[in-house]
Amino acid sequence: GKEFIRERQYARAVEKLELCLARDPNYLPALTDLAMVNYRNMEYAKAMDLLKRALSVDTYDPAANFYYGLTALTLNKETDARDGFDIAVQDPGYRGAAYTELSRMELRERRYEKAIDYAELALRENQVNVEAMQMLAAAHRLRPRAADELPDAGRDSLWLSRLKFINPLNHFAWF
């Protein structure tokens, strides 16, 4: 199944993963991969069912928790999404992406300082994480300041400049 996922042949991957699960219905990698394919196909209820089963096998599996977070976020279950991402950050393979998603959630809730913190943590994992830089630029631009507080000295401009350097055609930076 993995080779078909890597090649983006999702229909064939589903066939192989379902065959695998017919042999062992609790095989964690197959449950997680099939859930990921269902998530990509916008079959969120199916993905959530598979992820719940995967997490009943191993509550701390990073891949299952990351996709659980994405699926829960899509289904407007923000507390569940946060739980999934909080566990996914414990694995280096999912840490940057999970911190980016947590930053996005905080930005959406207008908790700008926490959004900045999570985006900075995401950048520690990947220094060219474009989404984290976009979160930082937006959070610095939107965060309220006290009347006596000095401006951020163009911190939003700093991140926008970095975005333009990494990708001169970045629409977010130019907008």
Side-chain angles (χ1 to χ4, degrees), residues 11-156:
R12 292 186 69 191
V14 168
E15 291 173 17
K16 296 295 183 183
L17 291 168
E18 287 176 346
L19 281 173
C20 181
L21 289 172
R23 284 187 181 168
D24 181 0
N26 293 320
Y27 185 58
L28 189 60
L31 286 169
T32 304
D33 288 346
L34 187 55
M36 183 272 298
V37 172
N38 282 319
Y39 174 81
R40 289 185 49 80
N41 291 336
M42 295 187 290
E43 296 176 4
Y44 304 119
K46 284 183 183 178
M48 186 58 83
D49 289 342
L50 290 164
L51 290 164
K52 286 179 180 178
R53 209 161 93 206
L55 292 172
S56 73
V57 173
D58 181 1
T59 306
Y60 297 101
D61 181 70
N65 274 289
F66 180 73
Y67 288 110
Y68 179 80
L70 288 177
T71 306
L73 196 56
T74 304
L75 296 172
N76 294 318
K77 298 179 178 180
E78 294 202 10
T79 303
D80 291 344
R82 189 174 304 280
D83 290 343
F85 294 136
D86 282 341
I87 293 173
V89 298
Q90 295 174 16
D91 183 86
Y94 290 92
R95 190 173 292 146
Y99 277 138
T100 302
E101 292 301 324
L102 287 166
S103 177
R104 182 176 286 117
M105 289 176 71
E106 296 296 345
L107 190 61
R108 203 175 294 130
E109 294 294 320
R110 294 185 171 99
R111 293 190 288 256
Y112 302 114
E113 295 303 323
K114 288 191 93 161
I116 289 168
D117 291 343
Y118 281 129
E120 287 174 348
L121 289 168
L123 280 174
R124 286 186 193 165
E125 298 303 312
N126 175 3
Q127 294 178 351
V128 291
N129 183 333
V130 171
E131 290 185 48
M133 288 184 207
Q134 290 175 175
M135 298 298 145
L136 282 165
H140 280 292
R141 171 84 43 104
L142 295 170
R143 83 177 184 87
R145 291 173 186 74
D148 61 338
E149 185 179 358
L150 295 174
D152 269 345
R155 289 200 186 212
D156 57 335

